């Protein structure tokens, strides 16, 4: 009797308990499964995924000055970040990039690796969602762009096919196989890219420009210590470049800095850029970091002492490379025309002057406010930038706020019609990936590097550009001066003058065989620094990666 | 049965009836008062006639009236927390009884997982803290009641702000990920542990992440009857996959079976100063410093001729007020209690205020001859938090405390036209920050539960419980456009409107079976099923660049968050709903008690969680405990030394599922406006983190229960550590959740002594001390599938010049969050500090206290009593990030105030900023948390009963060598979710407060 009562009771409770049973499956809310993404997002889904791949360009290439820009520019003579008393020590992270003493735990080496692979992943993922031929080509272009930078920086890249199990270690491409893979990808997609694509999308010219990068650098990627260049590759560069030049789509902008100001979206030089508009908060590439990172705290009276972060500078030697063809250049800024690309004191081809006194280009010597008042630093000393930086890159003197020449390549967005709102966030400047002059310079370089060099053809191209920039034409053109990387009379210097602070300098110096030569604040070097190490964290989880020699 | 016997029985029955009638006719009325050994009345004490049924309970004045039969000879008086006492009924029928508090309360009923037990029967290591032992003074959240009260329980107020979150660790730091907080159970309901106050990261203008607040603010601290802390696995394993960090069980006050009574208490207080100041230069020294460092030049005048004290000028002294009334009562078939608390706790910083309105209502009624009990509870809390600009991760400018520390003490705050002065030296005007920053959050929380218990048989009870915990929060934060020196907010302004909602629900089915196989052998078994689910969602709208309030001289009252549409730059509205977490569990417990000498407890829980991966849906958590009550052995029967002696040994496995829902599955989401991408790569093997713990304990009482002591040794081993491992690239994210087969070990000894040192009619002295050690270490911490030790850097060091610096490391053979810093090597001839090169970081110290101690004492002379509560931690380091980058010497060159230590050193203003061992300080401290002086006036007039008045001081002093505001500090400096420990960075300072109060009953 008692037992049956217990039995009934436990049966009842079991029923109650079972009724409460759930399968414990997680039900999606703000997120969805892959299957749901494929079905629920419908026809727009692929476009949304492709949008993410484009947005992945922002962090590594634009908004974070400690990403691609740092690895490709601070590691060269074009840029450095001196520690200024209480500022910019940041655990030495900037100095080790400039004096070539980084290691496999460097935070920027890791974050760039992860950021580029995020682009690699998101672009690959587009291919798993039945994209149109055109969308697939755009995604593969973006992936190739990420792979090109991974190869350039780390000499290898991991690769997954769409739908691969993400818990498994992927294949790794390295060496000649790697660059060939990127070339094959780009060659394959070129016919699928819409000729009518805008310059904010992957387009045939951007794919050709990237392909030219690949062919031009193949000899260096395969042997960074002593690059050799195959004639067939150089002919590819010339053919691809000529097809862009002869397309008639691109021409020189009237003013150099209109490629970088808040209306640079209209520039006829842009081949591929990341769009923006003043005040846009969504997916804004945040080009403002490019000026804030160097400007002094008091650079603009309207926002002093927060008008800049007082960090990035360039070296005096690089500045001197603007004195081409017998012209000498000093820091006195006599406003004699040397080359519009250097910028001129208080002369502006932008909207800047009226509001700020900041002129685009290289900022050296006394800085002025909008009404011509000389500016002061935070200690009350004249705000006058001094080209000399302490050899240790640790400034401790009374002038620690003003050492180093600053660079205003991207021109601050004051958006006159709206007041002064977009100086430090949400500016309208587009970010430039490829400009027409880079194509010209690559073709010219290929003429010099082909089996039978053709300096005449090279100089003709270079001089078109120089004329457009208000510089005198050159009459002779060497590739490089191996004992002085900043010799003004070289092809390398011409690239530096046109493309400074556009994240190509490290690749250039390696291709020209001078990356290991000493320059300011880097006295010795080791060939291992021709590539960055694979981050230790990445190495630990993917056994297919191999650490680069020496690390 | 023979007729004869039947007749005998009937006659006996008649005899009884007539005897009873006789008793009714011959009764007497006994009156009396019951007080405790401090002379205070004991309310709710049960008074019964010895050997008879029935009885009564005392009222708020400790008085009772009981009608007894004329031949009753003695009364038995008992009350929770006191030794039971017998007293003969004197001829005048008036008794006056003083109960002796049993500091060990062996008969106290302790709430354990899904049930209760008597303290003397408990096999596990658990500590009961009852209301009379709680901390006093300014209390904003329930966890503060327990600080330094329990051996091995570390409760750190993360900052001095009222309502700030606390870091709670039971038996050491055992979290490499997540917050590591214990599980909270309120009246049998498992809480989620989060709250619905939207978190805020301004992310612009140098502002960083706002500190979180305390998720328990909705609970009225004055309505808590007791709190049990479950420490060992035998006690916590019944909570399965959520028990690994210990369990804190809160029981609210209930009505008693007595006449309806009303109790009231009121207090008012003030913050009267900093408990400890941060040592920046006082005015005079600052002026000397300007000349010492040649900073005040003609080109840049830095001595600006005024004299101000910014750290004083940002403070306020608005009254702290608490008012609480409660009504309770009942009879043997039902009881209720209702209380209402209104409290206003202004912070020490202007504009900061924490207001709470909390209603607590509960009751229990019995039906069907008391076989059916229905109990219900309802807590409704409304919390308003007016916040100020503090931040965990501010850069160079975005923090009020850093502005006040750095502000030039010779600079007046206003321009001649009344506008805020902007010094242009990188330090914003602190009064401007106070005025420009608005941040108000409102949180409404309901915790409702109803349970029904039915006694199917006298030995078998079924209980059903349903509970819902709903919390809705809103937060409006804005920065007015008149703010200067905080690009890009200058001349623009910023507004953010956020809402969040948290709902969790519990359903329990419990079956309890109690029987005695023989008079000496007792058995209890519990079986249960539980279903728990929780869901969180939030949304946010942000706008910038407003037209109005661009000048402090012409302000309108509206906030930007009132008129968001005016913002020229509108960010897209964002909303997010967490994947619902569901936990479904089956559990059982058996208890054997043989002769009150040998106790055995076993528990088992099977937990299924929706968070776990498809391959590991269910986890299993067993435990066992044994207790030998040696004092009840015959060989100790006649000893005079020990009045109690027992030995405990327990073992068990508990879990933690402290990782985000959705981690085990692939997820696609909208990553930014009109962009979608995969955001998580699922790990179908993901499961709970497992902790195996054993514990040996001895409890003893000596000198006739005058001294009680408990000593425990514990050893915890956590493995299958929940860990965000580096994801294999290319992948959707940089990290992915895995279970790492390393070990995190915590072991130590805990000791508690309660002593009744002096006990006389007029004077008594009670003393309680506790002490605990902890040894914390990570072992076998290798990258997955390798023997390569992992090194996870965390502990963000923030501020100008130290961006990206991390000061702590989680790695093999070290304690969690070991400091990992470059060595400081003095100063060179130019006065620049010399710090080791990059890569020279070494293990520099343990941020986890290796010992904790607490002390509580009460001295009573007649009706006046003084109680003191204090404690501290020892054997650990604190990193002073404020001194590193906020008050460093470089500031003097720009007219910013600096650290006194830097001023006294050989350092010069050109010295660089760097994180190093220089700023690592010994954290050892002792803090007098509160001191209260109470005078028990007693009954006044006909109505007011048991009137007490008191004066109480909070945070009266701290003894420490630490140079920051408060060594009890834990600013959240996590890096990518890896938590940090013991880093100070411009925290909200801790004030010293004084309160006066009164309480009485009607």
């Amino acid at each position: 009797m008692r037992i049956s009562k217990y039995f009934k009771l436990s049966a009842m409770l079991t029923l109650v308990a079972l009724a409460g049973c759930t399968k414990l499956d997680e039900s999606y809310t703000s997120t969805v499964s892959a299957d749901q993404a494929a079905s629920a997002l419908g026809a727009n889904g692929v476009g949304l995924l492709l949008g993410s791949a484009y947005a992945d360009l922002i962090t590594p290439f634009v908004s974070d000055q400690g990403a691609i820009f740092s690895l490709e520019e601070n590691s060269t003579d074009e840029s450095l970040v001196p520690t200024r008393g209480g500022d910019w020590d940041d655990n030495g992270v900037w100095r080790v990039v400039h004096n070539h003493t980084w290691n496999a735990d460097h935070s920027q080496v890791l974050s760039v690796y992860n950021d580029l692979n995020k682009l690699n992943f998101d672009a690959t993922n587009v291919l798993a969602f039945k994209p149109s031929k055109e969308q697939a080509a755009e995604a593969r272009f973006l992936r190739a762009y990420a792979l090109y930078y991974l190869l350039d920086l780390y000499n290898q890249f991991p690769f997954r096919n769409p739908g691969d199990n993400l818990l498994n270690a992927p294949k790794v491409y390295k060496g000649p196989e790697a660059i060939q893979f990127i070339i094959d990808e780009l060659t394959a997609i070129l016919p699928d890219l819409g000729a009518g694509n805008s310059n904010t999308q992957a387009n045939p010219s951007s794919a050709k420009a990237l392909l030219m990068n690949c062919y031009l650098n193949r000899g260096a990627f395969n042997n960074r210590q002593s690059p050799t260049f195959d004639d067939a590759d150089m002919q590819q560069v010339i053919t691809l470049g000529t097809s862009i030049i002869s397309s008639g789509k691109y021409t020189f902008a009237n003013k150099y800095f209109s490629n970088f100001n808040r209306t640079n979206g209209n520039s006829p030089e842009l081949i591929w850029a990341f769009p923006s508009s003043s005040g846009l908060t969504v997916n804004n590439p945040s080009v403002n970091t490019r000026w804030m990172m160097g400007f002094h705290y008091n650079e603009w009276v309207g926002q002093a002492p927060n008008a800049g972060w007082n960090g990035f500078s360039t070296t005096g030697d690089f500045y001197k490379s603007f004195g081409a063809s017998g012209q000498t250049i000093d820091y006195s800024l006599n406003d004699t025309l040397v080359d519009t690309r250097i910028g001129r004191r208080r002369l502006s081809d932008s909207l800047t002057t009226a509001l700020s006194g900041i002129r685009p280009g290289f900022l050296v010597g006394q800085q002025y406010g909008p009404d011509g008042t000389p500016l002061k630093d935070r200690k009350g000393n004249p705000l006058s930038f001094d080209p000399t930086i302490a050899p240790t890159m640790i400034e401790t003197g009374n002038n620690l706020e003003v050492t180093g020449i600053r660079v205003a390549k991207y021109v601050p967005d004051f958006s006159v019609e709206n007041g002064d709102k977009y100086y430090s966030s949400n500016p309208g400047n587009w970010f430039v990936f490829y400009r027409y002059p880079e194509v010209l310079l690559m073709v010219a370089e290929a003429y010099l590097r082909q089996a039978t060099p053709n300096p005449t053809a090279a100089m003709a191209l270079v001089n078109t550009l120089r004329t457009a920039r208000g510089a005198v034409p050159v009459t002779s053109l060497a590739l490089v001066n191996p004992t002085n990387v900043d010799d003004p009379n070289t092809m390398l210097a011409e690239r530096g003058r046109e493309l400074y602070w556009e994240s190509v300098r490290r690749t250039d110096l390696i291709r020209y065989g001078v990356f290991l030569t000493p320059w300011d604040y880097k006295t010795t070097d080791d060939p291992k620094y021709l590539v960055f190490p694979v981050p230790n964290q990445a190495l630990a989880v993917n056994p297919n990666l191999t650490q680069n020699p020496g690390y | 049965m023979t007729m004869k016997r039947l007749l005998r029985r009937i006659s006996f029955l008649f005899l009884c009836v007539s005897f009873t009638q006789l008793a009714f006719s011959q009764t007497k009325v006994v009156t009396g008062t019951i007080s405790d050994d401090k002379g205070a009345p004991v309310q709710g004490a049960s008074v019964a006639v010895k050997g008879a049924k029935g009885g009564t309970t005392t009222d708020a004045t400790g008085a009772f009236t009981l009608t007894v039969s004329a031949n009753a000879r003695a009364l038995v008086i008992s009350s929770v927390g006191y030794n039971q006492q017998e007293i003969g009924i004197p001829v005048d029928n008036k008794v006056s009884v003083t109960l002796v508090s049993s500091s060990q309360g062996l008969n106290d009923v302790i709430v354990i997982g899904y049930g209760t037990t008597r303290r003397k029967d408990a096999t596990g290591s658990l500590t009961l803290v009852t209301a009379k032992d709680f901390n006093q003074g300014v209390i904003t959240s329930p966890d503060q009641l327990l600080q330094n009260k329990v051996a091995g329980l570390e409760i750190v107020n993360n900052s001095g702000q009222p309502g700030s979150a606390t870091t709670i660790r039971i038996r050491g730091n055992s979290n490499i990920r997540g917050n590591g907080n214990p599980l909270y159970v309120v009246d049998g309901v498992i809480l989620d542990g989060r709250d619905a106050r939207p978190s805020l990261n301004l992310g612009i203008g140098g502002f960083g992440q706002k500190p979180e607040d305390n998720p328990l603010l909705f609970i009225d601290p004055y309505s808590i009857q007791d709190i049990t802390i479950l420490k060992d696995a035998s006690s916590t394993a019944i909570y399965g996959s959520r028990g690994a960090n210990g369990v804190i069980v809160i029981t609210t006050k209930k009505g008693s079976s007595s006449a309806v009574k009303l109790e009231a208490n009121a207090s008012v207080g003030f913050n009267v100063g900093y408990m400890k100041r941060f040592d920046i230069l006082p005015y005079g020294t600052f002026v000397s410093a300007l000349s010492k460092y040649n900073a005040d030049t003609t080109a840049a005048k830095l001595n600006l001729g005024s004299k101000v004290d910014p750290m004083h000028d940002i403070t306020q002294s608005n009254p702290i007020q608490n008012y609480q009334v409660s009504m309770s009562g009942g009879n043997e078939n039902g009881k209720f209690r209702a209380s209402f608390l209104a409290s206003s706790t202004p912070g020490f910083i202007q504009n900061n205020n924490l207001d709470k309105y909390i209603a607590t209502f509960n009751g229990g009624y019995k039906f069907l001859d008391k076989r059916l009990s229905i109990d219900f509870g309802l807590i409704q809390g409304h919390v308003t938090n007016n916040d100020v600009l503090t931040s965990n991760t501010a850069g160079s400018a975005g923090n009020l405390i850093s502005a006040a520390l750095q502000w030039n003490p010779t600079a007046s705050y206003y321009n001649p036209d009344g506008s805020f002065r902007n010094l242009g030296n990188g330090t914003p005007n602190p009064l401007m920050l106070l005025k420009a920053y608005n941040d108000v959050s409102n949180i409404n929380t309901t915790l409702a539960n109803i349970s029904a218990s039915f006694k199917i048989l006298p030995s078998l009870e079924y209980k059903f419980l349903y509970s819902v915990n709903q919390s809705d929060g809103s937060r409006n934060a804005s920065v007015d456009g008149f703010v200067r020196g905080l690009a890009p907010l200058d001349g623009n302004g910023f507004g953010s409107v956020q809402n969040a909602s948290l709902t969790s629900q519990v359903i329990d089915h419990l079956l309890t079976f109690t029987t005695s196989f023989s008079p000496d052998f007792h058995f209890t078994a519990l079986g249960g099923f539980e279903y728990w689910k929780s869901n969180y969602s939030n949304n946010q709208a942000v706008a910038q660049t407003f037209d109005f309030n661009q000048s402090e001289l012409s302000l309108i009252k509206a906030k930007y968050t009132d008129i968001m549409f005016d913002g020229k730059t509108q960010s897209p509205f964002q909303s997010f709903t967490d994947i619902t977490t569901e936990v479904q569990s089956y559990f059982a417990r058996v208890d054997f008690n043989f002769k009150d000498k040998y106790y055995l407890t076993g528990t088992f829980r099977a937990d299924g969680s929706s968070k776990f991966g498809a391959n590991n849906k269910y986890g299993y958590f067993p435990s066992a405990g044994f207790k030998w009550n040696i004092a009840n052995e015959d060989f100790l029967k006649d000893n005079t030394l020990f009045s109690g002696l027992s030995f405990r040994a327990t073992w068990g496995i508990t879990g933690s599922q402290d990782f985000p829902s959705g981690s085990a599955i692939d997820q696609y989401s909208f990553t930014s406006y009109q962009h979608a991408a995969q955001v998580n790569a699922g790990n179908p093997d993901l499961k709970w983190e497992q902790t195996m713990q054993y514990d040996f304990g001895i409890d003893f009482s000596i000198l006739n229960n005058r001294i009680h002591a408990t000593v425990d040794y514990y050893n915890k081993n956590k493995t299958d550590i929940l860990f965000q491992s580096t994801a294999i690239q290319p992948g959707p994210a940089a990290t992915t959740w895995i279970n790492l087969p390393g070990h995190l070990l915590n072991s130590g000894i805990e000791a508690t002594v309660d002593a009744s040192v002096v006990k006389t009619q007029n004077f008594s002295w009670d003393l309680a001390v506790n002490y605990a050690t902890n040894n914390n270490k990570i072992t076998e911490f290798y990258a997955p599938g390798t023997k390569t030790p992992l090194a996870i850097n965390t502990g963000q060091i923030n501020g100008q010049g130290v961006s990206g610096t991390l000061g702590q490391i989680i790695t093999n053979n070290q304690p969690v969050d070991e400091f990992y810093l470059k060595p400081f090597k003095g100063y060179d001839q130019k006065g620049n500090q010399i710090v080791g090169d990059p890569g020279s970081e070494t293990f520099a110290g343990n941020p986890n206290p290796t010992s904790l101690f607490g002390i509580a004492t009460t001295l009573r002379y007649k009706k006046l009593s003084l109680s003191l509560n204090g404690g501290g931690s020892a054997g650990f380091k604190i990193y002073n990030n404020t001194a590193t980058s906020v008050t460093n010497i470089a500031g003097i060159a720009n007219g910013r105030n600096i650290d006194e230590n830097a001023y006294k050193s050989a350092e010069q203003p050109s010295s660089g900023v760097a994180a190093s061992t220089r700023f690592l300080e010994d954290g050892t401290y002792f803090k007098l948390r509160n001191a209260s002086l109470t005078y028990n006036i007693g009954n006044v007039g006909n109505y007011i009963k048991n009137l007490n008045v008191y004066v109480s001081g909070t945070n009266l002093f701290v003894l420490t060598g630490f140079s920051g505001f408060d060594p009890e500090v834990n600013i959240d400096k996590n890096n990518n979710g890896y938590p940090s420990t013991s880093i100070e960075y411009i925290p909200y300072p801790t004030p010293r407060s004084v309160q006066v109060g009164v309480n009485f009953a009607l």
Side-chain angles (χ1 to χ4, degrees), chain A residues 22 28 30 32 87 160 306 396, chain B residues 485 577 584 666 668 730 800 910:
Chain A
T22 77
Y28 290 92
S30 288
V32 295
D87 279 359
R160 289 190 198 278
N306 294 102
T396 57
Chain B
T577 301
Q584 175 174 280
D666 285 350
Y668 280 71
Q800 203 163 0
S910 61

Side-chain angles (χ1 to χ4, degrees), chain A residues 120 123-124 127 139-147 159-160 185:
Chain A
N120 179 5
T124 303
L127 307 176
R140 287 166 73 182
F141 169 80
L142 291 171
R143 182 173 64 184
Y145 193 69
L147 299 182
F159 182 83
R160 289 190 198 278
E185 274 289 291

Side-chain angles (χ1 to χ4, degrees), chain B residues 261-586:
Chain B
K261 68 190 178 210
L262 182 147
E263 288 166 290
N265 66 64
S267 67
V268 61
F270 296 92
N271 291 322
V272 293
Y274 291 94
M275 179 184 72
K276 179 178 173 311
R277 280 196 173 231
F278 193 98
D279 295 333
I280 46 171
L281 302 183
Y283 169 81
T285 321
F286 178 81
V287 173
S288 319
L290 288 179
S291 55
K292 174 180 173 184
Y293 300 116
N294 300 316
D296 190 30
T297 62
T298 351
K301 287 299 291 173
L302 291 181
N303 186 339
L304 301 169
S306 303
K307 181 179 175 182
V308 296
D309 179 1
M311 287 308 291
H312 173 265
D313 298 336
I314 59 169
T315 63
Q316 64 182 359
S317 56
N318 295 354
I320 299 165
Q321 300 171 77
N322 283 293
Y323 306 100
Q324 196 220 26
V325 290
S326 68
M327 283 156 290
S328 63
N331 55 37
E332 59 183 26
N333 281 319
K335 51 198 178 183
F336 77 98
R337 182 177 184 277
S339 73
F340 188 79
L341 170 78
S343 88
S344 172
T345 313
F348 194 37
I349 306 298
Q350 282 176 42
N351 301 350
N352 174 221
N353 206 65
L354 180 74
D355 288 334
K356 298 191 295 180
Y357 304 91
I358 303 172
T360 310
F361 182 47
N362 59 51
Y365 291 88
K366 294 187 188 331
F367 305 93
L368 308 180
D369 291 338
K370 300 187 183 175
R371 285 180 71 191
L372 175 67
S373 313
I374 306 283
D375 293 280
F376 60 88
L378 178 66
I379 295 174
Q380 181 70 50
H382 174 81
V383 177
T384 299
N385 192 342
N386 276 280
D387 213 337
V388 288
L389 188 57
T390 53
S391 146
N392 294 334
T393 56
S396 53
N399 184 303
L400 173 66
I401 308 301
S402 81
L405 286 171
Q406 291 180 335
W407 182 259
N408 184 333
T410 67
S412 59
Y413 302 112
Y414 298 98
N415 295 317
D417 67 354
S419 60
F420 289 113
R421 185 172 189 178
N422 181 16
L423 293 180
N425 64 355
T427 297
N429 186 321
L431 300 193
M432 173 197 73
L433 289 182
L434 275 173
K435 193 160 182 93
Y437 182 74
N438 312 288
D439 181 356
V440 182
S441 49
N442 281 291
I443 306 156
N444 291 307
T445 306
T446 304
L447 175 62
N449 68 72
I450 183 158
S451 65
S453 302
F454 183 67
K455 275 197 191 308
I456 300 164
L457 297 167
S459 59
L460 184 68
E461 187 176 56
Y462 164 75
K463 182 177 179 183
F464 168 82
L465 178 143
Y466 173 76
S467 166
V468 62
N469 185 10
Q470 170 73 33
S471 183
D472 292 299
S474 69
R475 184 169 193 165
N476 290 357
S478 61
V479 182
D480 288 333
F482 67 74
V483 79
R484 290 288 170 267
L486 290 168
L489 297 171
D490 303 35
N492 290 325
F494 169 93
S496 154
V497 176
Q498 286 174 281
N499 292 287
S501 176
L502 175 69
T503 310
S504 56
Q505 283 163 286
V506 188
I507 294 171
D508 277 343
H509 299 283
L510 304 172
L511 198 58
T512 312
F513 175 68
T514 313
T515 191
S516 297
F517 296 129
S518 78
D520 285 337
F521 192 14
H522 309 286
F523 172 73
T524 308
L526 164 82
F529 168 82
E530 182 172 81
Y531 172 76
W532 184 93
K533 80 170 176 179
S534 183
N535 187 263
Y536 179 84
S537 62
N538 64 17
N539 56 57
Q540 181 178 27
V542 173
Q544 292 176 59
T545 313
F546 291 82
D547 287 303
F548 61 100
N549 289 353
Q550 296 293 344
S551 161
E552 57 270 42
L553 300 177
S554 58
L555 294 177
I556 63 170
K557 211 174 174 189
K559 307 267 187 281
Y560 292 159
T561 47
D562 300 328
I563 319 176
M564 289 287 277
F565 211 56
D566 181 51
K568 287 189 187 56
T569 306
Q570 298 271 350
S571 299
F573 180 78
Q574 293 183 28
S575 58
F576 177 78
T577 301
D578 226 354
I579 293 177
T580 298
T581 301
E582 293 178 289
V583 181
Q584 175 174 280
S585 318
Y586 303 87

Side-chain angles (χ1 to χ4, degrees), chain A residues 125-140:
Chain A
N125 228 1
V126 172
L127 307 176
F129 283 81
K130 299 197 183 96
S132 69
K133 205 187 240 189
E134 161 70 31
Q135 286 170 321
E138 283 188 49
R140 287 166 73 182

Side-chain angles (χ1 to χ4, degrees), chain A residues 2 5-6 9-10 12-13 16-18 20-35 37 41 45 47-55 83-96 103 107 110 113-114 117-118 120-122 124-125 128-129 158-160 165-170 274 279-283 292 297-298 302-307 309 376 378-381 394-398 400-401 418 420-422 424-426 537-538 540-542, chain B residues 297 299-300 396-397 422 424-426 456-457 459-460 462 484-488 490-492 509 511 513 529 531 535 544-545 568-572 575-580 582-584 586 608-611 617-618 661-679 681-684 725-734 736 783-784 786 791 799-806 822 830 832 838 841 888 890 893-894 896 909-915:
Chain A
R2 262 189 117 178
K5 205 168 176 180
Y6 283 136
L9 185 81
S10 51
M12 183 188 85
L13 286 172
V16 169
L18 288 176
C21 268
T22 77
K23 284 157 114 186
L24 297 171
D25 290 337
E26 295 196 291
S27 50
Y28 290 92
T29 43
S30 288
T31 59
V32 295
S33 71
D35 292 345
L41 298 177
L48 296 173
L49 291 164
L50 187 57
S52 278
Y54 275 103
T83 295
R84 306 174 190 280
D87 279 359
W88 292 101
D89 176 74
D90 301 343
N91 224 14
V93 72
W94 308 101
R95 292 195 301 273
V96 298
N103 62 29
S107 60
L110 174 66
Y113 182 84
N114 285 342
N117 274 308
K118 171 104 171 78
N120 179 5
F121 177 82
D122 283 341
T124 303
N125 228 1
F129 283 81
F159 182 83
R160 289 190 198 278
N165 182 344
L166 301 179
L167 302 177
N168 296 339
F274 201 104
L280 176 81
T281 56
V282 292
N283 308 322
M292 294 299 285
Y297 310 105
N298 293 345
Q303 213 162 273
N306 294 102
W309 306 332
K376 290 178 174 177
R378 295 188 302 177
K379 297 177 176 179
N381 301 322
I394 301 176
E395 300 290 353
T396 57
N398 195 40
L400 59 83
E401 286 191 10
N418 288 321
D420 53 15
K421 304 303 186 194
Y422 307 114
S424 54
S425 67
N426 306 319
Q537 284 196 24
V541 293
N542 185 350
Chain B
T297 62
S396 53
N422 181 16
N425 64 355
I456 300 164
L457 297 167
S459 59
L460 184 68
Y462 164 75
R484 290 288 170 267
L486 290 168
D490 303 35
N492 290 325
H509 299 283
L511 198 58
F513 175 68
F529 168 82
Y531 172 76
N535 187 263
Q544 292 176 59
T545 313
K568 287 189 187 56
T569 306
Q570 298 271 350
S571 299
S575 58
F576 177 78
T577 301
D578 226 354
I579 293 177
T580 298
E582 293 178 289
V583 181
Q584 175 174 280
Y586 303 87
S609 171
S610 60
K611 284 176 164 185
K617 275 292 170 205
Y618 277 86
S661 57
S663 301
I665 52 175
D666 285 350
Q667 293 182 62
Y668 280 71
S669 187
F670 287 86
T671 49
S672 62
Y673 185 66
Q674 283 287 303
H675 291 160
Q678 184 169 355
V679 293
N683 175 3
S725 179
T726 307
I728 308 172
Q729 296 293 344
T736 184
T786 73
Q800 203 163 0
V802 288
S803 303
T805 309
L806 299 171
K822 291 186 278 200
K830 290 165 140 181
N832 297 319
E841 291 86 355
N888 55 319
N894 296 309
R896 296 197 294 254
S910 61
S911 184
V913 169

